[in-house]
Amino acid sequence: MKKLCLLLALAFTSLALVPESATAQTKPVQLGLVTPLQIVPEDQSVGAFRLCLIYCANEDVQYVDVGLVLKTNGEQSFGQLGAVGLGNDFTGVQLNWLGAYNTGDLAGVQWSGLGNYTVTGEGVQLSSIFNGAEDFGGLQIALVNYTKTLQGLQIGIINIITEGGDIFGLPIFPFVNFDF
């Protein structure tokens, strides 16, 4: 246990020594309980690692993002592991036990236990209950999949493409739906 604590202390210390980016608004490490009880203020970015125990919000987050409820107002890249992920633009892998919601673009993988949503996306959405998007390119797998336009494949019990769909031109189709 002592070795693990020493290793974690060394890791956090070395991350803190990483030089900040060109803008003073980006800090390398974020540790927080609930906004505003966090090291880096909400209007600043995190450049390497964010650990949030309950709820944290920041402008941009790069690399590793771990916590319960994670909110990013700008861009986020690389990896997120939490219960709920809330963001704008995301590039990488979102793994959230409950759900992920992006108000911008997704490029990568969105996986959750209950549901995913992004305005526009390219990649894969995986969920047990619901996947949704306005415009999606790639693969959606859930009980219910929804998108206005799709360039790809949906697999689930109910699959909805409101503007398109290649199976008999129907917007709703069971088990599989696609538009290429």
Side-chain angles (χ1 to χ4, degrees), residues 64 85 104 113 142 152 166:
V64 179
D166 281 343

Side-chain angles (χ1 to χ4, degrees), residues 65-83:
D65 191 13
V66 179
L68 194 59
V69 178
L70 305 162
K71 184 172 191 302
T72 305
N73 297 319
E75 297 181 2
Q76 185 164 358
S77 60
F78 192 66
Q80 180 182 75
L81 176 64

Side-chain angles (χ1 to χ4, degrees), residues 133-165:
E134 299 297 311
D135 179 37
F136 197 77
L139 176 65
Q140 290 181 313
I141 300 175
L143 287 175
V144 177
N145 297 297
Y146 166 85
T147 184
K148 282 187 180 177
T149 61
L150 177 71
Q151 188 71 21
L153 175 69
Q154 294 175 321
I155 299 172
I157 301 299
I158 299 171
N159 301 289
I160 304 165
I161 308 171
T162 60
E163 298 174 12

Side-chain angles (χ1 to χ4, degrees), residues 22-180:
T23 67
Q25 298 299 314
T26 300
K27 307 294 183 196
V29 176
Q30 166 73 292
L31 298 174
L33 177 62
V34 60
T35 301
L37 299 176
Q38 56 191 40
I39 294 172
V40 180
E42 184 175 354
D43 63 345
Q44 293 183 11
S45 298
V46 178
F49 178 75
R50 176 169 73 171
L51 177 62
C52 174
L53 297 180
I54 298 174
Y55 169 84
C56 290
N58 288 101
E59 190 58 34
D60 301 312
V61 176
Q62 293 180 342
Y63 304 116
V64 179
D65 191 13
V66 179
L68 194 59
V69 178
L70 305 162
K71 184 172 191 302
T72 305
N73 297 319
E75 297 181 2
Q76 185 164 358
S77 60
F78 192 66
Q80 180 182 75
L81 176 64
V84 176
L86 306 170
N88 186 27
D89 295 330
F90 190 93
T91 301
V93 179
Q94 277 185 301
L95 303 172
N96 290 288
W97 300 302
L98 296 176
Y101 182 85
N102 292 325
T103 59
D105 299 328
L106 166 73
V109 176
Q110 215 176 30
W111 175 91
S112 73
L114 298 179
N116 296 310
Y117 180 82
T118 189
V119 174
T120 59
E122 194 166 301
V124 178
Q125 283 185 317
L126 301 167
S127 176
S128 61
I129 307 292
F130 177 78
N131 289 318
E134 299 297 311
D135 179 37
F136 197 77
L139 176 65
Q140 290 181 313
I141 300 175
L143 287 175
V144 177
N145 297 297
Y146 166 85
T147 184
K148 282 187 180 177
T149 61
L150 177 71
Q151 188 71 21
L153 175 69
Q154 294 175 321
I155 299 172
I157 301 299
I158 299 171
N159 301 289
I160 304 165
I161 308 171
T162 60
E163 298 174 12
D166 281 343
I167 301 178
F168 310 115
L170 298 173
I172 301 174
F173 212 79
F175 307 117
V176 67
N177 204 355
F178 59 90
D179 197 354
F180 293 102

